[in-house]
Amino acid sequence: MTTSPGRQRTTIQLCAQRLGFTLIAEASDLGVSARTMSPFERPSLSAWLRRPDEYEAIVWSHVDRAVRSVAHMSELIEWSRQRSKTLIFGMPEERQPLVITPQANSDAIRHCMKLAYAAEQETRAISARLTSAHAVLRATGRYGGGRERLTGPDTSRLTFTIGSRP
């Protein structure tokens, strides 16, 4: 089981506290990929993005938790500017969170876009490595994930013994 949601929550809480924001709700879209889905398509987050009058800012633990593409970041920044919302990225490896206000200067936007680009490149690299690894496993007759597949002449009848120690 992943510990990531708990660590992300802690980073968000510390970041909000440091900047003087009160957390009013949490949007958690576990099992949804920022790689394939825009923030505006994610079930929990999109519900909040449609109700911008209820808050001042959105806080993520890191840029790659919000988006994993430059296009999605651009869309998110444009949304925040049109609605006068602040985007905050906890950036636990940095001394300060990345804060993108509706009036953010070009340096802040450029930094944010660089981080989105890095997340996009990381996603591509991970995908390429996994695709390659699975191709090698398939070529060698091995199975590369999930529950092991049952193969053989008769997989419809399995025999096993349940026993106890004497």
Side-chain angles (χ1 to χ4, degrees), residues 2-143:
T2 182
T3 60
S4 185
R7 287 179 295 159
Q8 290 175 40
R9 191 173 293 113
T10 298
T11 298
I12 289 167
Q13 289 167 344
L14 291 171
C15 182
Q17 182 180 35
R18 181 180 205 173
L19 295 172
F21 284 97
T22 301
L23 296 175
I24 61 167
E26 178 179 302
S28 180
D29 288 312
L30 296 176
V32 175
S33 173
R35 176 180 67 85
T36 58
M37 205 174 268
S38 157
F40 301 93
E41 299 170 323
R42 294 184 218 144
S44 185
L45 179 56
S46 67
W48 282 99
L49 294 174
R50 288 190 299 272
R51 302 184 339 242
D53 296 336
E54 297 180 28
Y55 52 89
E56 295 176 53
I58 302 176
V59 185
W60 286 272
S61 61
H62 199 278
V63 168
D64 67 3
R65 301 296 88 200
V67 300
R68 282 196 168 260
S69 83
V70 172
H72 290 165
M73 180 59 81
S74 180
E75 182 182 21
L76 190 59
I77 290 171
E78 182 61 27
W79 172 90
S80 72
R81 285 187 159 177
Q82 289 175 355
R83 288 157 185 81
S84 297
K85 299 301 164 196
T86 298
L87 306 175
I88 303 169
F89 306 98
M91 309 291 290
E93 69 282 355
E94 301 287 334
R95 291 181 49 218
Q96 294 287 346
L98 175 58
V99 179
I100 304 297
T101 65
Q103 304 80 22
N105 65 30
S106 60
D107 289 340
I109 300 295
R110 195 171 15 265
H111 182 58
C112 197
M113 296 303 271
K114 282 181 183 178
L115 292 169
Y117 179 76
E120 187 174 316
Q121 294 308 306
E122 178 185 46
T123 297
R124 287 184 181 153
I126 290 168
S127 180
R129 276 195 306 272
L130 287 172
T131 299
S132 175
H134 283 271
V136 168
L137 290 172
R138 278 191 304 277
T140 59
R142 295 172 48 203
Y143 182 62

